[in-house]
């Protein structure tokens, strides 16, 4: 299960980099980059949830 979480974190980080790469930095308005911004936020939530899940699982194993 830990390998899956780590794999998801790595994939999410790669998708985050792609999202940042395709963002139009010449015009950072919401109307121009709405999809990219929402994707970046969703990926950040996925990364945070996987890290928290990993920490909770590690604490349960150490009991």
């Amino acid at each position: 299960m830990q390998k899956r979480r780590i794999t998801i974190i790595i994939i999410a980080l790669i998708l985050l980099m792609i999202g940042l790469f395709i963002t139009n930095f010449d015009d950072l308005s919401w109307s121009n980059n709405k999809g990219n911004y929402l994707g970046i936020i969703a990926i950040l939530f996925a990364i945070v949830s996987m890290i928290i899940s990993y920490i909770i699982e590690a604490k349960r194993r150490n009991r």
Side-chain angles (χ1 to χ4, degrees):
M1 197 64 165
Q2 284 183 333
K3 289 183 182 181
R4 268 193 235 160
R5 286 187 186 106
I6 293 172
T7 303
I8 291 172
I9 290 171
I10 291 170
I11 291 170
L13 287 171
I14 292 169
L15 290 173
L16 179 66
M17 286 186 247
I18 292 170
L20 290 172
F21 181 72
I22 63 173
T23 300
N24 182 5
F25 288 102
D26 294 331
D27 183 14
L28 292 174
S29 66
W30 177 260
S31 61
N32 226 8
N33 294 309
K34 180 175 30 176
N36 291 339
Y37 290 153
L38 292 175
I40 289 169
I41 291 168
I43 291 169
L44 287 174
F45 282 141
I47 291 170
V48 169
S49 68
M50 286 295 118
I51 291 172
I52 291 171
S53 174
Y54 184 81
I55 291 170
I56 290 171
E57 187 68 28
K59 285 182 181 179
R60 285 186 186 163
R61 279 200 198 114
N62 290 333
R63 288 185 183 177

